[in-house]
PDB file of all heavy atoms in Angstrom:
ATOM      1  N   TYR A   1     -37.202  18.087 -32.491  1.00  0.00           N
ATOM      2  CA  TYR A   1     -36.249  17.148 -31.776  1.00  0.00           C
ATOM      3  C   TYR A   1     -36.879  16.297 -30.749  1.00  0.00           C
ATOM      4  O   TYR A   1     -37.847  16.833 -30.047  1.00  0.00           O
ATOM      5  CB  TYR A   1     -35.182  17.989 -31.108  1.00  0.00           C
ATOM      6  CG  TYR A   1     -34.279  18.831 -31.880  1.00  0.00           C
ATOM      7  CD1 TYR A   1     -33.362  19.743 -31.252  1.00  0.00           C
ATOM      8  CD2 TYR A   1     -34.262  18.829 -33.230  1.00  0.00           C
ATOM      9  CE1 TYR A   1     -32.605  20.541 -31.981  1.00  0.00           C
ATOM     10  CE2 TYR A   1     -33.415  19.644 -33.943  1.00  0.00           C
ATOM     11  CZ  TYR A   1     -32.593  20.444 -33.363  1.00  0.00           C
ATOM     12  OH  TYR A   1     -31.716  21.327 -34.063  1.00  0.00           O
ATOM     13  N   ALA A   2     -36.511  15.059 -30.715  1.00  0.00           N
ATOM     14  CA  ALA A   2     -36.852  14.260 -29.486  1.00  0.00           C
ATOM     15  C   ALA A   2     -36.131  14.790 -28.286  1.00  0.00           C
ATOM     16  O   ALA A   2     -34.977  15.209 -28.387  1.00  0.00           O
ATOM     17  CB  ALA A   2     -36.477  12.844 -29.694  1.00  0.00           C
ATOM     18  N   ILE A   3     -36.845  14.809 -27.131  1.00  0.00           N
ATOM     19  CA  ILE A   3     -36.253  15.271 -25.948  1.00  0.00           C
ATOM     20  C   ILE A   3     -36.316  14.115 -24.825  1.00  0.00           C
ATOM     21  O   ILE A   3     -37.271  13.424 -24.692  1.00  0.00           O
ATOM     22  CB  ILE A   3     -37.050  16.466 -25.349  1.00  0.00           C
ATOM     23  CG1 ILE A   3     -37.096  17.598 -26.442  1.00  0.00           C
ATOM     24  CG2 ILE A   3     -36.457  17.081 -24.073  1.00  0.00           C
ATOM     25  CD1 ILE A   3     -35.707  18.219 -26.728  1.00  0.00           C
ATOM     26  N   GLY A   4     -35.309  14.185 -24.111  1.00  0.00           N
ATOM     27  CA  GLY A   4     -35.161  13.157 -23.051  1.00  0.00           C
ATOM     28  C   GLY A   4     -34.801  13.945 -21.677  1.00  0.00           C
ATOM     29  O   GLY A   4     -34.036  14.910 -21.763  1.00  0.00           O
ATOM     30  N   TRP A   5     -35.316  13.270 -20.549  1.00  0.00           N
ATOM     31  CA  TRP A   5     -34.911  13.787 -19.294  1.00  0.00           C
ATOM     32  C   TRP A   5     -34.105  12.574 -18.684  1.00  0.00           C
ATOM     33  O   TRP A   5     -34.572  11.539 -18.649  1.00  0.00           O
ATOM     34  CB  TRP A   5     -36.183  14.047 -18.386  1.00  0.00           C
ATOM     35  CG  TRP A   5     -36.787  15.330 -18.670  1.00  0.00           C
ATOM     36  CD1 TRP A   5     -37.927  15.570 -19.408  1.00  0.00           C
ATOM     37  CD2 TRP A   5     -36.429  16.534 -18.246  1.00  0.00           C
ATOM     38  NE1 TRP A   5     -38.324  16.797 -19.444  1.00  0.00           N
ATOM     39  CE2 TRP A   5     -37.379  17.603 -18.613  1.00  0.00           C
ATOM     40  CE3 TRP A   5     -35.399  17.008 -17.352  1.00  0.00           C
ATOM     41  CZ2 TRP A   5     -37.268  19.003 -18.328  1.00  0.00           C
ATOM     42  CZ3 TRP A   5     -35.234  18.324 -17.038  1.00  0.00           C
ATOM     43  CH2 TRP A   5     -36.178  19.300 -17.513  1.00  0.00           C
ATOM     44  N   PHE A   6     -32.847  12.939 -18.245  1.00  0.00           N
ATOM     45  CA  PHE A   6     -32.005  12.087 -17.496  1.00  0.00           C
ATOM     46  C   PHE A   6     -31.759  12.542 -16.143  1.00  0.00           C
ATOM     47  O   PHE A   6     -32.071  13.696 -15.827  1.00  0.00           O
ATOM     48  CB  PHE A   6     -30.559  11.969 -18.323  1.00  0.00           C
ATOM     49  CG  PHE A   6     -30.642  11.484 -19.714  1.00  0.00           C
ATOM     50  CD1 PHE A   6     -31.080  12.237 -20.733  1.00  0.00           C
ATOM     51  CD2 PHE A   6     -30.260  10.221 -19.896  1.00  0.00           C
ATOM     52  CE1 PHE A   6     -31.189  11.646 -22.023  1.00  0.00           C
ATOM     53  CE2 PHE A   6     -30.263   9.694 -21.178  1.00  0.00           C
ATOM     54  CZ  PHE A   6     -30.778  10.324 -22.297  1.00  0.00           C
ATOM     55  N   ARG A   7     -31.335  11.646 -15.400  1.00  0.00           N
ATOM     56  CA  ARG A   7     -30.878  12.021 -13.999  1.00  0.00           C
ATOM     57  C   ARG A   7     -29.651  11.284 -13.534  1.00  0.00           C
ATOM     58  O   ARG A   7     -29.333  10.224 -14.002  1.00  0.00           O
ATOM     59  CB  ARG A   7     -32.119  11.817 -13.039  1.00  0.00           C
ATOM     60  CG  ARG A   7     -32.324  10.409 -12.814  1.00  0.00           C
ATOM     61  CD  ARG A   7     -33.582  10.287 -11.739  1.00  0.00           C
ATOM     62  NE  ARG A   7     -33.922   8.960 -11.439  1.00  0.00           N
ATOM     63  CZ  ARG A   7     -35.059   8.565 -10.754  1.00  0.00           C
ATOM     64  NH1 ARG A   7     -35.892   9.441 -10.451  1.00  0.00           N
ATOM     65  NH2 ARG A   7     -35.222   7.230 -10.567  1.00  0.00           N
ATOM     66  N   GLN A   8     -28.852  11.960 -12.680  1.00  0.00           N
ATOM     67  CA  GLN A   8     -27.600  11.385 -12.114  1.00  0.00           C
ATOM     68  C   GLN A   8     -27.526  11.672 -10.668  1.00  0.00           C
ATOM     69  O   GLN A   8     -27.550  12.879 -10.258  1.00  0.00           O
ATOM     70  CB  GLN A   8     -26.456  11.953 -12.810  1.00  0.00           C
ATOM     71  CG  GLN A   8     -25.122  11.197 -12.478  1.00  0.00           C
ATOM     72  CD  GLN A   8     -24.013  11.605 -13.342  1.00  0.00           C
ATOM     73  OE1 GLN A   8     -24.017  12.628 -14.058  1.00  0.00           O
ATOM     74  NE2 GLN A   8     -22.987  10.709 -13.460  1.00  0.00           N
ATOM     75  N   ALA A   9     -27.488  10.593  -9.864  1.00  0.00           N
ATOM     76  CA  ALA A   9     -27.417  10.730  -8.501  1.00  0.00           C
ATOM     77  C   ALA A   9     -25.911  10.620  -8.129  1.00  0.00           C
ATOM     78  O   ALA A   9     -25.143  10.003  -8.981  1.00  0.00           O
ATOM     79  CB  ALA A   9     -28.255   9.733  -7.703  1.00  0.00           C
ATOM     80  N   PRO A  10     -25.498  11.143  -7.010  1.00  0.00           N
ATOM     81  CA  PRO A  10     -23.999  11.164  -6.655  1.00  0.00           C
ATOM     82  C   PRO A  10     -23.534   9.557  -6.616  1.00  0.00           C
ATOM     83  O   PRO A  10     -24.106   8.745  -6.047  1.00  0.00           O
ATOM     84  CB  PRO A  10     -24.058  11.708  -5.271  1.00  0.00           C
ATOM     85  CG  PRO A  10     -25.154  12.614  -5.254  1.00  0.00           C
ATOM     86  CD  PRO A  10     -26.162  11.939  -5.972  1.00  0.00           C
ATOM     87  N   GLY A  11     -22.421   9.424  -7.385  1.00  0.00           N
ATOM     88  CA  GLY A  11     -21.782   8.117  -7.414  1.00  0.00           C
ATOM     89  C   GLY A  11     -22.413   7.141  -8.300  1.00  0.00           C
ATOM     90  O   GLY A  11     -22.088   5.974  -8.280  1.00  0.00           O
ATOM     91  N   LYS A  12     -23.378   7.650  -9.101  1.00  0.00           N
ATOM     92  CA  LYS A  12     -24.201   6.715  -9.902  1.00  0.00           C
ATOM     93  C   LYS A  12     -24.164   7.222 -11.373  1.00  0.00           C
ATOM     94  O   LYS A  12     -23.770   8.241 -11.743  1.00  0.00           O
ATOM     95  CB  LYS A  12     -25.654   6.543  -9.531  1.00  0.00           C
ATOM     96  CG  LYS A  12     -25.800   5.982  -8.137  1.00  0.00           C
ATOM     97  CD  LYS A  12     -27.289   5.665  -7.830  1.00  0.00           C
ATOM     98  CE  LYS A  12     -27.452   4.909  -6.549  1.00  0.00           C
ATOM     99  NZ  LYS A  12     -28.851   4.655  -6.241  1.00  0.00           N
ATOM    100  N   ASP A  13     -24.452   6.300 -12.250  1.00  0.00           N
ATOM    101  CA  ASP A  13     -24.506   6.616 -13.639  1.00  0.00           C
ATOM    102  C   ASP A  13     -25.650   7.521 -14.075  1.00  0.00           C
ATOM    103  O   ASP A  13     -26.663   7.548 -13.305  1.00  0.00           O
ATOM    104  CB  ASP A  13     -24.639   5.314 -14.536  1.00  0.00           C
ATOM    105  CG  ASP A  13     -23.376   4.520 -14.460  1.00  0.00           C
ATOM    106  OD1 ASP A  13     -22.216   5.020 -14.166  1.00  0.00           O
ATOM    107  OD2 ASP A  13     -23.538   3.233 -14.668  1.00  0.00           O
ATOM    108  N   ARG A  14     -25.490   8.330 -15.124  1.00  0.00           N
ATOM    109  CA  ARG A  14     -26.669   9.035 -15.610  1.00  0.00           C
ATOM    110  C   ARG A  14     -27.555   8.110 -16.379  1.00  0.00           C
ATOM    111  O   ARG A  14     -27.201   7.364 -17.331  1.00  0.00           O
ATOM    112  CB  ARG A  14     -26.109  10.112 -16.552  1.00  0.00           C
ATOM    113  CG  ARG A  14     -27.203  11.166 -16.935  1.00  0.00           C
ATOM    114  CD  ARG A  14     -26.604  12.359 -17.574  1.00  0.00           C
ATOM    115  NE  ARG A  14     -25.906  11.980 -18.730  1.00  0.00           N
ATOM    116  CZ  ARG A  14     -25.029  12.860 -19.447  1.00  0.00           C
ATOM    117  NH1 ARG A  14     -25.017  14.230 -19.029  1.00  0.00           N
ATOM    118  NH2 ARG A  14     -24.367  12.527 -20.536  1.00  0.00           N
ATOM    119  N   ASP A  15     -28.807   8.125 -15.907  1.00  0.00           N
ATOM    120  CA  ASP A  15     -29.877   7.201 -16.544  1.00  0.00           C
ATOM    121  C   ASP A  15     -30.983   8.008 -17.269  1.00  0.00           C
ATOM    122  O   ASP A  15     -31.374   9.157 -16.723  1.00  0.00           O
ATOM    123  CB  ASP A  15     -30.430   6.365 -15.476  1.00  0.00           C
ATOM    124  CG  ASP A  15     -29.448   5.344 -14.941  1.00  0.00           C
ATOM    125  OD1 ASP A  15     -28.597   4.866 -15.656  1.00  0.00           O
ATOM    126  OD2 ASP A  15     -29.370   5.189 -13.685  1.00  0.00           O
ATOM    127  N   LEU A  16     -31.690   7.465 -18.201  1.00  0.00           N
ATOM    128  CA  LEU A  16     -32.766   7.991 -18.801  1.00  0.00           C
ATOM    129  C   LEU A  16     -34.059   7.874 -17.968  1.00  0.00           C
ATOM    130  O   LEU A  16     -34.266   6.804 -17.462  1.00  0.00           O
ATOM    131  CB  LEU A  16     -33.056   7.402 -20.164  1.00  0.00           C
ATOM    132  CG  LEU A  16     -34.252   7.906 -20.939  1.00  0.00           C
ATOM    133  CD1 LEU A  16     -34.137   9.423 -21.373  1.00  0.00           C
ATOM    134  CD2 LEU A  16     -34.426   7.075 -22.298  1.00  0.00           C
ATOM    135  N   VAL A  17     -34.746   8.858 -17.625  1.00  0.00           N
ATOM    136  CA  VAL A  17     -35.950   8.850 -16.792  1.00  0.00           C
ATOM    137  C   VAL A  17     -37.252   8.874 -17.766  1.00  0.00           C
ATOM    138  O   VAL A  17     -38.020   8.015 -17.605  1.00  0.00           O
ATOM    139  CB  VAL A  17     -36.001  10.128 -15.942  1.00  0.00           C
ATOM    140  CG1 VAL A  17     -37.368  10.144 -15.258  1.00  0.00           C
ATOM    141  CG2 VAL A  17     -34.834  10.034 -14.991  1.00  0.00           C
ATOM    142  N   ALA A  18     -37.233   9.666 -18.781  1.00  0.00           N
ATOM    143  CA  ALA A  18     -38.359   9.847 -19.675  1.00  0.00           C
ATOM    144  C   ALA A  18     -37.975  10.480 -21.045  1.00  0.00           C
ATOM    145  O   ALA A  18     -36.981  11.204 -21.042  1.00  0.00           O
ATOM    146  CB  ALA A  18     -39.492  10.626 -19.006  1.00  0.00           C
ATOM    147  N   ALA A  19     -38.625  10.096 -22.091  1.00  0.00           N
ATOM    148  CA  ALA A  19     -38.289  10.758 -23.359  1.00  0.00           C
ATOM    149  C   ALA A  19     -39.562  10.955 -24.147  1.00  0.00           C
ATOM    150  O   ALA A  19     -40.632  10.181 -23.892  1.00  0.00           O
ATOM    151  CB  ALA A  19     -37.244   9.853 -24.130  1.00  0.00           C
ATOM    152  N   ILE A  20     -39.584  11.916 -25.077  1.00  0.00           N
ATOM    153  CA  ILE A  20     -40.779  12.153 -25.932  1.00  0.00           C
ATOM    154  C   ILE A  20     -40.269  12.404 -27.311  1.00  0.00           C
ATOM    155  O   ILE A  20     -39.305  13.107 -27.556  1.00  0.00           O
ATOM    156  CB  ILE A  20     -41.572  13.369 -25.311  1.00  0.00           C
ATOM    157  CG1 ILE A  20     -42.799  13.490 -26.008  1.00  0.00           C
ATOM    158  CG2 ILE A  20     -40.747  14.608 -25.201  1.00  0.00           C
ATOM    159  CD1 ILE A  20     -43.831  14.435 -25.226  1.00  0.00           C
ATOM    160  N   SER A  21     -41.036  11.825 -28.282  1.00  0.00           N
ATOM    161  CA  SER A  21     -40.751  12.171 -29.639  1.00  0.00           C
ATOM    162  C   SER A  21     -41.059  13.550 -29.991  1.00  0.00           C
ATOM    163  O   SER A  21     -41.858  14.247 -29.274  1.00  0.00           O
ATOM    164  CB  SER A  21     -41.439  11.240 -30.552  1.00  0.00           C
ATOM    165  OG  SER A  21     -42.844  11.303 -30.425  1.00  0.00           O
ATOM    166  N   TRP A  22     -40.566  14.004 -31.275  1.00  0.00           N
ATOM    167  CA  TRP A  22     -40.697  15.299 -31.699  1.00  0.00           C
ATOM    168  C   TRP A  22     -42.187  15.623 -32.115  1.00  0.00           C
ATOM    169  O   TRP A  22     -42.677  16.778 -31.924  1.00  0.00           O
ATOM    170  CB  TRP A  22     -39.826  15.653 -32.789  1.00  0.00           C
ATOM    171  CG  TRP A  22     -40.186  14.980 -34.105  1.00  0.00           C
ATOM    172  CD1 TRP A  22     -39.844  13.803 -34.421  1.00  0.00           C
ATOM    173  CD2 TRP A  22     -41.087  15.556 -35.188  1.00  0.00           C
ATOM    174  NE1 TRP A  22     -40.434  13.528 -35.756  1.00  0.00           N
ATOM    175  CE2 TRP A  22     -41.143  14.417 -36.231  1.00  0.00           C
ATOM    176  CE3 TRP A  22     -41.715  16.772 -35.320  1.00  0.00           C
ATOM    177  CZ2 TRP A  22     -41.950  14.734 -37.369  1.00  0.00           C
ATOM    178  CZ3 TRP A  22     -42.561  16.949 -36.523  1.00  0.00           C
ATOM    179  CH2 TRP A  22     -42.585  15.869 -37.389  1.00  0.00           C
ATOM    180  N   ASN A  23     -42.881  14.695 -32.673  1.00  0.00           N
ATOM    181  CA  ASN A  23     -44.180  14.868 -33.247  1.00  0.00           C
ATOM    182  C   ASN A  23     -45.281  14.935 -32.285  1.00  0.00           C
ATOM    183  O   ASN A  23     -46.088  14.041 -32.220  1.00  0.00           O
ATOM    184  CB  ASN A  23     -44.398  13.797 -34.413  1.00  0.00           C
ATOM    185  CG  ASN A  23     -44.261  12.447 -33.787  1.00  0.00           C
ATOM    186  OD1 ASN A  23     -43.672  12.166 -32.644  1.00  0.00           O
ATOM    187  ND2 ASN A  23     -44.697  11.437 -34.440  1.00  0.00           N
ATOM    188  N   ASN A  24     -45.317  16.065 -31.558  1.00  0.00           N
ATOM    189  CA  ASN A  24     -46.369  16.280 -30.441  1.00  0.00           C
ATOM    190  C   ASN A  24     -46.473  15.062 -29.519  1.00  0.00           C
ATOM    191  O   ASN A  24     -47.586  14.810 -29.074  1.00  0.00           O
ATOM    192  CB  ASN A  24     -47.714  16.535 -31.090  1.00  0.00           C
ATOM    193  CG  ASN A  24     -47.804  17.961 -31.744  1.00  0.00           C
ATOM    194  OD1 ASN A  24     -47.192  18.882 -31.236  1.00  0.00           O
ATOM    195  ND2 ASN A  24     -48.353  18.037 -32.935  1.00  0.00           N
ATOM    196  N   GLY A  25     -45.364  14.492 -29.337  1.00  0.00           N
ATOM    197  CA  GLY A  25     -45.387  13.350 -28.244  1.00  0.00           C
ATOM    198  C   GLY A  25     -45.996  12.167 -28.752  1.00  0.00           C
ATOM    199  O   GLY A  25     -46.681  11.377 -27.925  1.00  0.00           O
ATOM    200  N   GLY A  26     -45.916  11.830 -30.091  1.00  0.00           N
ATOM    201  CA  GLY A  26     -46.467  10.642 -30.476  1.00  0.00           C
ATOM    202  C   GLY A  26     -45.952   9.373 -29.836  1.00  0.00           C
ATOM    203  O   GLY A  26     -46.655   8.322 -29.846  1.00  0.00           O
ATOM    204  N   ASP A  27     -44.722   9.499 -29.402  1.00  0.00           N
ATOM    205  CA  ASP A  27     -44.127   8.317 -28.708  1.00  0.00           C
ATOM    206  C   ASP A  27     -43.476   8.780 -27.390  1.00  0.00           C
ATOM    207  O   ASP A  27     -42.788   9.856 -27.428  1.00  0.00           O
ATOM    208  CB  ASP A  27     -43.023   7.721 -29.630  1.00  0.00           C
ATOM    209  CG  ASP A  27     -42.443   6.413 -29.057  1.00  0.00           C
ATOM    210  OD1 ASP A  27     -43.073   5.705 -28.368  1.00  0.00           O
ATOM    211  OD2 ASP A  27     -41.231   6.241 -29.212  1.00  0.00           O
ATOM    212  N   THR A  28     -43.665   8.078 -26.366  1.00  0.00           N
ATOM    213  CA  THR A  28     -43.017   8.449 -24.973  1.00  0.00           C
ATOM    214  C   THR A  28     -42.314   7.212 -24.469  1.00  0.00           C
ATOM    215  O   THR A  28     -42.790   6.031 -24.771  1.00  0.00           O
ATOM    216  CB  THR A  28     -44.132   8.993 -24.052  1.00  0.00           C
ATOM    217  OG1 THR A  28     -45.098   8.088 -23.807  1.00  0.00           O
ATOM    218  CG2 THR A  28     -44.632  10.313 -24.493  1.00  0.00           C
ATOM    219  N   TYR A  29     -41.381   7.486 -23.658  1.00  0.00           N
ATOM    220  CA  TYR A  29     -40.725   6.362 -22.924  1.00  0.00           C
ATOM    221  C   TYR A  29     -40.617   6.739 -21.461  1.00  0.00           C
ATOM    222  O   TYR A  29     -40.366   7.973 -21.088  1.00  0.00           O
ATOM    223  CB  TYR A  29     -39.382   6.038 -23.487  1.00  0.00           C
ATOM    224  CG  TYR A  29     -38.493   5.299 -22.525  1.00  0.00           C
ATOM    225  CD1 TYR A  29     -38.473   3.897 -22.617  1.00  0.00           C
ATOM    226  CD2 TYR A  29     -37.628   5.934 -21.560  1.00  0.00           C
ATOM    227  CE1 TYR A  29     -37.645   3.168 -21.713  1.00  0.00           C
ATOM    228  CE2 TYR A  29     -36.804   5.174 -20.656  1.00  0.00           C
ATOM    229  CZ  TYR A  29     -36.889   3.808 -20.835  1.00  0.00           C
ATOM    230  OH  TYR A  29     -36.108   3.102 -19.968  1.00  0.00           O
ATOM    231  N   TYR A  30     -40.796   5.835 -20.457  1.00  0.00           N
ATOM    232  CA  TYR A  30     -40.573   6.060 -19.061  1.00  0.00           C
ATOM    233  C   TYR A  30     -39.747   4.855 -18.531  1.00  0.00           C
ATOM    234  O   TYR A  30     -40.027   3.685 -18.760  1.00  0.00           O
ATOM    235  CB  TYR A  30     -41.921   6.094 -18.320  1.00  0.00           C
ATOM    236  CG  TYR A  30     -42.705   7.319 -18.686  1.00  0.00           C
ATOM    237  CD1 TYR A  30     -43.766   7.101 -19.643  1.00  0.00           C
ATOM    238  CD2 TYR A  30     -42.453   8.523 -18.136  1.00  0.00           C
ATOM    239  CE1 TYR A  30     -44.498   8.286 -20.021  1.00  0.00           C
ATOM    240  CE2 TYR A  30     -43.260   9.656 -18.447  1.00  0.00           C
ATOM    241  CZ  TYR A  30     -44.249   9.445 -19.446  1.00  0.00           C
ATOM    242  OH  TYR A  30     -45.020  10.575 -19.813  1.00  0.00           O
ATOM    243  N   ALA A  31     -38.833   5.179 -17.683  1.00  0.00           N
ATOM    244  CA  ALA A  31     -38.098   4.164 -16.923  1.00  0.00           C
ATOM    245  C   ALA A  31     -39.049   3.445 -15.982  1.00  0.00           C
ATOM    246  O   ALA A  31     -40.011   4.143 -15.473  1.00  0.00           O
ATOM    247  CB  ALA A  31     -36.987   4.787 -16.152  1.00  0.00           C
ATOM    248  N   ASP A  32     -38.870   2.221 -15.653  1.00  0.00           N
ATOM    249  CA  ASP A  32     -39.744   1.572 -14.841  1.00  0.00           C
ATOM    250  C   ASP A  32     -39.868   2.125 -13.446  1.00  0.00           C
ATOM    251  O   ASP A  32     -40.944   2.118 -12.783  1.00  0.00           O
ATOM    252  CB  ASP A  32     -39.331   0.070 -14.604  1.00  0.00           C
ATOM    253  CG  ASP A  32     -39.495  -0.801 -15.882  1.00  0.00           C
ATOM    254  OD1 ASP A  32     -40.257  -0.351 -16.723  1.00  0.00           O
ATOM    255  OD2 ASP A  32     -38.769  -1.832 -15.975  1.00  0.00           O
ATOM    256  N   SER A  33     -38.905   2.764 -13.013  1.00  0.00           N
ATOM    257  CA  SER A  33     -38.862   3.285 -11.683  1.00  0.00           C
ATOM    258  C   SER A  33     -39.756   4.662 -11.568  1.00  0.00           C
ATOM    259  O   SER A  33     -40.122   4.995 -10.443  1.00  0.00           O
ATOM    260  CB  SER A  33     -37.412   3.737 -11.275  1.00  0.00           C
ATOM    261  OG  SER A  33     -36.803   4.600 -12.221  1.00  0.00           O
ATOM    262  N   VAL A  34     -40.157   5.127 -12.610  1.00  0.00           N
ATOM    263  CA  VAL A  34     -40.971   6.406 -12.563  1.00  0.00           C
ATOM    264  C   VAL A  34     -42.372   6.204 -13.208  1.00  0.00           C
ATOM    265  O   VAL A  34     -43.124   7.163 -13.201  1.00  0.00           O
ATOM    266  CB  VAL A  34     -40.236   7.567 -13.207  1.00  0.00           C
ATOM    267  CG1 VAL A  34     -38.888   7.822 -12.524  1.00  0.00           C
ATOM    268  CG2 VAL A  34     -40.148   7.449 -14.706  1.00  0.00           C
ATOM    269  N   LYS A  35     -42.631   5.069 -13.720  1.00  0.00           N
ATOM    270  CA  LYS A  35     -43.899   4.923 -14.471  1.00  0.00           C
ATOM    271  C   LYS A  35     -45.045   5.052 -13.518  1.00  0.00           C
ATOM    272  O   LYS A  35     -44.926   4.654 -12.285  1.00  0.00           O
ATOM    273  CB  LYS A  35     -43.970   3.466 -15.055  1.00  0.00           C
ATOM    274  CG  LYS A  35     -43.187   3.317 -16.381  1.00  0.00           C
ATOM    275  CD  LYS A  35     -43.333   1.856 -16.896  1.00  0.00           C
ATOM    276  CE  LYS A  35     -42.591   1.709 -18.185  1.00  0.00           C
ATOM    277  NZ  LYS A  35     -42.658   0.370 -18.736  1.00  0.00           N
ATOM    278  N   GLY A  36     -46.040   5.792 -13.869  1.00  0.00           N
ATOM    279  CA  GLY A  36     -47.236   6.104 -13.124  1.00  0.00           C
ATOM    280  C   GLY A  36     -46.959   7.277 -12.149  1.00  0.00           C
ATOM    281  O   GLY A  36     -48.004   7.624 -11.428  1.00  0.00           O
ATOM    282  N   ARG A  37     -45.784   7.771 -12.092  1.00  0.00           N
ATOM    283  CA  ARG A  37     -45.562   8.960 -11.162  1.00  0.00           C
ATOM    284  C   ARG A  37     -45.037  10.066 -11.919  1.00  0.00           C
ATOM    285  O   ARG A  37     -45.325  11.252 -11.671  1.00  0.00           O
ATOM    286  CB  ARG A  37     -44.379   8.539 -10.120  1.00  0.00           C
ATOM    287  CG  ARG A  37     -44.896   7.377  -9.251  1.00  0.00           C
ATOM    288  CD  ARG A  37     -43.817   7.272  -8.059  1.00  0.00           C
ATOM    289  NE  ARG A  37     -42.400   7.002  -8.583  1.00  0.00           N
ATOM    290  CZ  ARG A  37     -41.302   7.706  -8.403  1.00  0.00           C
ATOM    291  NH1 ARG A  37     -41.469   8.843  -7.662  1.00  0.00           N
ATOM    292  NH2 ARG A  37     -40.203   7.417  -8.874  1.00  0.00           N
ATOM    293  N   PHE A  38     -44.276   9.897 -13.070  1.00  0.00           N
ATOM    294  CA  PHE A  38     -43.697  11.034 -13.805  1.00  0.00           C
ATOM    295  C   PHE A  38     -44.507  11.062 -15.142  1.00  0.00           C
ATOM    296  O   PHE A  38     -45.000  10.087 -15.669  1.00  0.00           O
ATOM    297  CB  PHE A  38     -42.253  10.809 -14.162  1.00  0.00           C
ATOM    298  CG  PHE A  38     -41.283  11.025 -12.877  1.00  0.00           C
ATOM    299  CD1 PHE A  38     -41.810  11.126 -11.649  1.00  0.00           C
ATOM    300  CD2 PHE A  38     -39.998  11.098 -13.145  1.00  0.00           C
ATOM    301  CE1 PHE A  38     -41.021  11.281 -10.617  1.00  0.00           C
ATOM    302  CE2 PHE A  38     -39.162  11.292 -12.075  1.00  0.00           C
ATOM    303  CZ  PHE A  38     -39.675  11.246 -10.779  1.00  0.00           C
ATOM    304  N   SER A  39     -44.495  12.289 -15.720  1.00  0.00           N
ATOM    305  CA  SER A  39     -45.245  12.530 -17.078  1.00  0.00           C
ATOM    306  C   SER A  39     -44.422  13.444 -17.816  1.00  0.00           C
ATOM    307  O   SER A  39     -44.233  14.579 -17.245  1.00  0.00           O
ATOM    308  CB  SER A  39     -46.666  12.949 -16.804  1.00  0.00           C
ATOM    309  OG  SER A  39     -47.221  13.181 -18.130  1.00  0.00           O
ATOM    310  N   ILE A  40     -44.103  13.110 -18.978  1.00  0.00           N
ATOM    311  CA  ILE A  40     -43.365  13.990 -19.912  1.00  0.00           C
ATOM    312  C   ILE A  40     -44.327  14.527 -20.890  1.00  0.00           C
ATOM    313  O   ILE A  40     -45.236  13.805 -21.439  1.00  0.00           O
ATOM    314  CB  ILE A  40     -42.176  13.249 -20.579  1.00  0.00           C
ATOM    315  CG1 ILE A  40     -41.273  14.302 -21.257  1.00  0.00           C
ATOM    316  CG2 ILE A  40     -42.632  12.137 -21.500  1.00  0.00           C
ATOM    317  CD1 ILE A  40     -40.018  13.681 -21.796  1.00  0.00           C
ATOM    318  N   SER A  41     -44.199  15.801 -21.229  1.00  0.00           N
ATOM    319  CA  SER A  41     -45.033  16.498 -22.256  1.00  0.00           C
ATOM    320  C   SER A  41     -44.295  17.590 -22.889  1.00  0.00           C
ATOM    321  O   SER A  41     -43.292  18.076 -22.402  1.00  0.00           O
ATOM    322  CB  SER A  41     -46.344  16.967 -21.627  1.00  0.00           C
ATOM    323  OG  SER A  41     -46.032  18.004 -20.639  1.00  0.00           O
ATOM    324  N   ARG A  42     -44.860  18.048 -23.938  1.00  0.00           N
ATOM    325  CA  ARG A  42     -44.162  19.192 -24.625  1.00  0.00           C
ATOM    326  C   ARG A  42     -45.193  20.191 -25.191  1.00  0.00           C
ATOM    327  O   ARG A  42     -46.276  19.799 -25.589  1.00  0.00           O
ATOM    328  CB  ARG A  42     -43.295  18.751 -25.873  1.00  0.00           C
ATOM    329  CG  ARG A  42     -44.070  18.034 -26.973  1.00  0.00           C
ATOM    330  CD  ARG A  42     -42.945  17.357 -27.817  1.00  0.00           C
ATOM    331  NE  ARG A  42     -41.865  18.306 -28.359  1.00  0.00           N
ATOM    332  CZ  ARG A  42     -40.690  17.861 -28.734  1.00  0.00           C
ATOM    333  NH1 ARG A  42     -40.332  16.663 -28.700  1.00  0.00           N
ATOM    334  NH2 ARG A  42     -39.812  18.819 -29.091  1.00  0.00           N
TER     335      ARG A  42
END
């Protein structure tokens, strides 16, 4: 399965933070707000 991390702050929408494809992380995604600070792995 592809896995995503989302977050929701009080009073705000739930937004995607980072995601990773199923195939040993062949594809990843990061929101601009967390690029360079967050890292997703499996």
